[in-house]
Amino acid sequence: MTMQGPFRYRNGTLYCEQVELAAIAAGAGTPCYVYSRASILERFRAYDEALAGLPHMICYAVKANSNQAVLALLAGAGAGFDIVSGGELYRVLRAGAPACRVVFSGVGKTAEEIEYALAEGIHSFNAESEEELRLIDAIAARLGVRARVALRVNPDVPAETHPYVATGRREHKFGVEVARAPEIWRRAAALPNLALEGLSCHIGSQLLDPQPLLAAAAVMLELARTIRRAGFSVRTLDLGGGLGVAYRAEEASPDPAAFARAIREQLAREDLFLILEPGRSIVAQAGVLLTRVLYRKRTGSKEFVVVDAAMNDLIRPALYQSHHEIWPLRQSARPEIIADVVGPVCETGDYLARDRRLANALPGDLLAIATAGAYAFVAASNYNSRPRPPEVLVEGDRWRIVRARETYEDLVRGEAP
Ligand code: LLP
């Protein structure tokens, strides 16, 4: 089996960095998320170092994994942050990151969120419509500040990914059309409380082929030139996130450093400050979801492995039919089986793997659901009144709980009988 990231077998048992995962399961219980500090840092630095020499800021997309420990780690490494809500701004500031390294994306920012971000002094907004530009201008006027803004444009390039996470075509809700961008820019430039600084785009997520991202960059560069020719200054170019990771053992993961070098070459002579917003490609491979086998059962011709993690903990298979490799914590000589791996939630859609060849795991055995550092815990819910799992950070030969397992008391907090 090809292993990825910081997870390796030693003498038949699975480790994260220098920590045996079974020790974490014993100490923190299951289900439980585990992240590798070294892996997160390595991927962030791959981007950052490949862009050395080009003025840039890597704004980690907080939505991918917003744990305080993860944000503090990245803030310490010099990352900026891409946020899409007031809640994410709060998390980033709470983790000790400076507001001046925050960009605010998203198609539906509320007046309260805009005011909060302006009062904290964020780097810039990626504005998605003329109405939003006018609202930011009005709030900035009231606060007596100038709001730095980039215009989010939809470069209309096809990108192969799951339809739910493709964002860069004309029919999607994100950004303004390329053809209309110069005119919108001209009107926005006349708004007195805006400092219109640049252009932004984000064409989709989980792109295993970086080519569409480079094609989008070319469209954006051309647009920047058009706007400059009209007499305006365009200082920043934000190309969003989107670089994918290998979820299947047989897939190859695109290399963030190689991708960043390609972007650097494209922008080498452009006099632009580059912003990237990678999320998944920094944290996905750094995490696993640990789970314990509860039961084995057979119905008709189907074999089921019933585990204690479920769709409420990791919704990606149910929502996007996404594939996550499943690794046994202890390798065994038993022949592999073909089975569905399912959770306790009362829905047929509650599965983590379907018709999967995997280790012949018996009740009590531990499994790691791979590539679960991104869009996993952040999308967990309490469905079926299941407390959300704890999150653990591994640092070399040590590990610590960076979010406690929720309790039954947490489940009813704020409710009134
Ligand atoms: N910037 C913007 C404006 C975004 O909308 C996104 C992701 C990113 C950056 C980060 O993209 P990344 O580098 O992570 O691909 N829940 C889905 C993914 C949703 C992505 C949404 N936007 C999943 O589990 O696959």
Side-chain angles (χ1 to χ4, degrees):
M1 182 179 334
T2 333
M3 302 300 294
Q4 40 160 241
F7 301 96
R8 295 272 181 283
Y9 284 102
R10 277 197 232 159
N11 302 323
T13 63
L14 190 57
Y15 280 72
C16 175
E17 298 189 27
Q18 274 71 259
V19 178
E20 201 178 339
L21 284 171
I24 298 177
T30 55
C32 167
Y33 278 99
V34 179
Y35 313 127
S36 153
R37 177 181 190 274
S39 179
I40 295 172
L41 279 182
E42 179 194 311
R43 303 284 283 208
F44 168 72
R45 289 189 180 131
Y47 273 105
D48 204 34
E49 286 164 13
L51 291 172
L54 189 80
H56 72 275
M57 184 159 74
I58 306 296
C59 290
Y60 164 69
V62 173
K63 64 168 81 68
N65 183 327
S66 57
N67 183 282
Q68 288 288 283
V70 172
L71 300 182
L73 178 63
L74 287 166
F81 297 91
D82 166 51
I83 60 160
V84 290
S85 70
E88 286 191 349
L89 177 56
Y90 178 79
R91 281 183 176 277
V92 165
L93 298 176
R94 233 344 243 282
C100 64
R101 298 184 69 80
V102 173
V103 299
F104 196 159
S105 302
V107 73
K109 305 174 191 77
T110 66
E112 291 73 26
E113 288 174 324
I114 292 168
E115 180 162 348
Y116 176 28
L118 278 175
E120 294 292 344
I122 64 162
H123 180 276
S124 54
F125 294 89
N126 289 331
E128 302 226 6
S129 67
E130 289 195 79
E131 290 200 3
E132 183 189 332
L133 286 162
R134 283 196 294 272
L135 180 60
I136 297 174
D137 178 64
I139 297 173
R142 181 154 52 75
L143 297 181
V145 295
R146 271 192 107 198
R148 288 173 297 275
V149 174
L151 182 62
R152 177 160 174 189
V153 176
N154 197 328
D156 195 27
V157 295
E160 207 176 296
T161 184
H162 191 280
Y164 286 8
V165 295
T167 47
R169 297 315 296 274
R170 279 217 331 252
E171 62 269 28
H172 296 138
K173 69 180 177 183
F174 301 99
V176 306
E177 282 174 66
V178 180
R180 293 191 58 228
E183 176 55 21
I184 295 174
W185 184 290
R186 197 180 56 73
R187 278 204 292 272
L191 296 173
N193 305 289
L194 295 190
L196 205 52
E197 300 211 315
L199 294 166
S200 77
C201 71
H202 169 77
I203 62 167
S205 197
Q206 182 52 12
L207 308 177
L208 285 172
D209 176 5
Q211 217 46 50
L213 292 164
L214 300 175
V219 171
M220 299 300 286
L221 276 177
E222 194 45 49
L223 178 60
R225 289 189 198 113
T226 305
I227 293 172
R228 281 175 168 173
R229 277 198 297 274
F232 298 103
S233 120
V234 180
R235 286 200 327 107
T236 66
L237 180 59
D238 180 341
L239 294 175
L243 198 66
V245 300
Y247 282 94
R248 293 173 189 271
E250 68 275 14
E251 265 168 5
S253 234
D255 174 19
F259 166 67
R261 279 195 299 273
I263 295 281
R264 190 184 62 188
E265 270 166 40
Q266 230 177 337
L267 265 63
R269 282 164 296 280
E270 298 290 341
D271 189 24
L272 281 164
F273 181 82
L274 171 70
I275 297 174
L276 293 180
E277 303 171 353
R280 184 186 328 257
S281 52
I282 290 183
V283 289
Q285 75 300 324
V288 292
L289 171 59
L290 298 184
T291 187
R292 187 178 290 278
V293 178
L294 299 174
Y295 303 103
R296 285 282 297 271
K297 67 186 275 188
R298 252 193 116 74
T299 63
S301 61
K302 253 190 167 333
E303 182 80 41
F304 289 97
V305 178
V306 185
V307 299
D308 65 1
M311 66 187 289
N312 73 293
D313 305 306
L314 179 65
I315 201 172
R316 301 193 72 259
L319 192 56
Y320 313 112
Q321 298 73 50
S322 64
H323 177 106
H324 290 259
E325 295 289 335
I326 298 183
W327 302 322
L329 262 54
R330 288 209 171 78
Q331 289 174 317
S332 88
R334 297 191 292 264
E336 291 187 320
I337 54 168
I338 293 184
D340 283 15
V341 179
V342 301
V345 164
C346 300
E347 298 216 22
T348 306
D350 177 28
Y351 68 93
L352 298 166
R354 276 205 167 139
D355 297 322
R356 179 74 61 83
R357 175 179 293 280
L358 82 162
N360 188 351
L362 301 176
D365 286 354
L366 293 160
L367 300 171
I369 320 283
T371 331
Y375 304 114
F377 179 85
V378 286
S381 78
N382 292 124
Y383 188 41
N384 278 209
S385 285
R386 290 168 50 85
R388 284 179 296 173
E391 293 173 285
V392 162
L393 188 68
V394 171
E395 303 167 290
D397 59 2
R398 288 205 296 248
W399 64 275
R400 63 192 171 98
I401 292 177
V402 292
R403 189 181 207 274
R405 182 183 304 285
E406 287 180 341
T407 62
Y408 288 158
E409 198 44 44
D410 291 329
L411 292 179
V412 294
R413 175 156 306 123
E415 290 183 22

